[in-house]
Amino acid sequence: LGVNALIADESSSGIHSMFTAGEALVRGDVVYFKAGDSRMWKVNMTTGNADKIPAVAMAADDIGSGNVGKFLLQGFVRDNGTFPSYTIAGRLYAPEAEGPPTQTAPSTDGDIVQVIGWAVTADMVYFNPSNDIIEVA
């Protein structure tokens, strides 16, 4: 397996798989697998959303609701238009609100914290979600 860290904007390199999107996704959206319909949906790590975790993949492209698309299970994604400006080498977390990774860990009682990678550059991440999740108390 060769993983290329020198990828162009709006691309990814790593371990990919094809799944059906449960809702419209943009490149970089962090997703969970919903067993009830076998589709990928955006994670939400806020209290009361235990059915919307854990983060297992990231949309590697823009994917319409109900369409089959490419999802990154582990590797690099670069997207200058979707990602905020990350602090290089900073830890990334599954987002409290749906969307791309964040560098701010969820912090409200009942929220769930999951480390999902780190920032390689301001617009490129290494996605490698931990299986460990911690509830904020």
Side-chain angles (χ1 to χ4, degrees), residues 5-106:
L6 303 174
I7 56 176
D9 190 27
E10 298 185 359
S11 61
S12 63
S13 177
I15 302 170
H16 294 89
S17 188
M18 303 299 281
F19 290 99
T20 302
E23 60 190 316
L25 302 170
V26 297
R27 183 182 303 98
D29 278 342
V30 181
V31 298
Y32 73 98
F33 181 76
K34 185 175 181 180
D37 63 7
S38 297
R39 294 179 179 214
M40 293 291 200
W41 295 82
K42 296 175 191 173
V43 300
N44 186 320
M45 306 305 273
T46 57
T47 186
N49 286 311
D51 60 328
K52 295 185 176 185
I53 60 171
V56 297
M58 182 182 287
D61 294 311
D62 296 347
I63 307 166
S65 179
N67 293 333
V68 173
K70 184 169 71 169
F71 290 86
L72 181 70
L73 304 177
Q74 182 181 354
F76 297 94
V77 176
R78 172 173 264 153
D79 195 317
N80 190 39
T82 299
F83 292 146
S85 185
Y86 293 120
T87 300
I88 296 171
R91 185 177 296 124
L92 298 172
Y93 302 93
E96 269 188 282
E98 299 164 346
T102 179
Q103 288 190 305
T104 303

